[in-house]
């Protein structure tokens, strides 16, 4: 694995901070929320950013699905505070049952 540049480390820190904040809010406000995790390709950032909010079971996921747009807006706002503009916020956050290991 190649070493990340200073710019990439800064991008990673900004995303990690925003995702951690989003995760803390989700654990409080969304029943069944387990964790948030993200993936991205540094060469295609921020277009490649994908944040996943994991739920414990299907009923929790189904109950939270109507709120997805509001949570996508939250992520977009958190990233904007970090100086990162997500042009199409709907592409960057999904609700899932999968864990990072799946």
């Amino acid at each position: 694995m190649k070493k990340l540049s200073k710019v990439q480390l800064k991008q990673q820190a900004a995303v990690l901070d925003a995702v951690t904040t989003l995760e803390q809010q989700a654990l409080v406000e969304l029943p069944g929320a387990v964790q948030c995790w993200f993936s991205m390709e540094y060469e295609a950032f921020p277009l490649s950013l994908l944040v996943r909010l994991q739920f414990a079971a299907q009923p929790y996921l189904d109950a939270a699905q109507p709120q997805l747009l509001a949570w996508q807006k939250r992520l977009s706002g958190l990233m904007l505070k970090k100086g990162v503009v997500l042009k199409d916020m709907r592409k960057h956050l999904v609700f899932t049952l999968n864990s990072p290991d799946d």
Side-chain angles (χ1 to χ4, degrees):
M1 187 171 173
K2 73 176 192 171
K3 190 174 178 181
L4 298 177
S5 71
K6 288 184 180 185
V7 171
Q8 291 170 332
L9 289 172
K10 188 176 177 182
Q11 290 170 343
Q12 184 182 44
V15 172
L16 187 59
D17 188 49
V19 170
T20 301
T21 302
L22 190 77
E23 178 182 57
Q24 290 168 350
Q25 293 174 353
L27 292 174
V28 171
E29 298 177 33
L30 292 174
V34 176
Q35 66 178 337
C36 264
W37 49 284
F38 69 93
S39 61
M40 67 180 184
E41 296 173 19
Y42 292 98
E43 298 78 28
F45 181 78
L47 289 175
S48 65
L49 177 64
L50 180 58
V51 178
R52 295 168 185 90
L53 178 54
Q54 180 186 349
F55 286 87
Q58 189 66 44
Y60 295 121
L61 178 63
D62 293 341
Q65 205 64 40
Q67 301 175 46
L68 179 58
L69 180 60
W71 284 89
Q72 289 168 332
K73 287 180 182 177
R74 278 191 195 194
L75 174 63
S76 183
L78 289 168
M79 292 303 296
L80 189 58
K81 287 180 183 177
K82 300 293 178 189
V84 178
V85 176
L86 300 178
K87 290 185 180 179
D88 186 358
M89 64 186 171
R90 296 172 193 256
K91 294 181 179 178
H92 299 286
L93 175 67
V94 295
F95 289 170
T96 185
L97 295 174
N98 297 336
S99 72
D101 301 327
D102 291 344

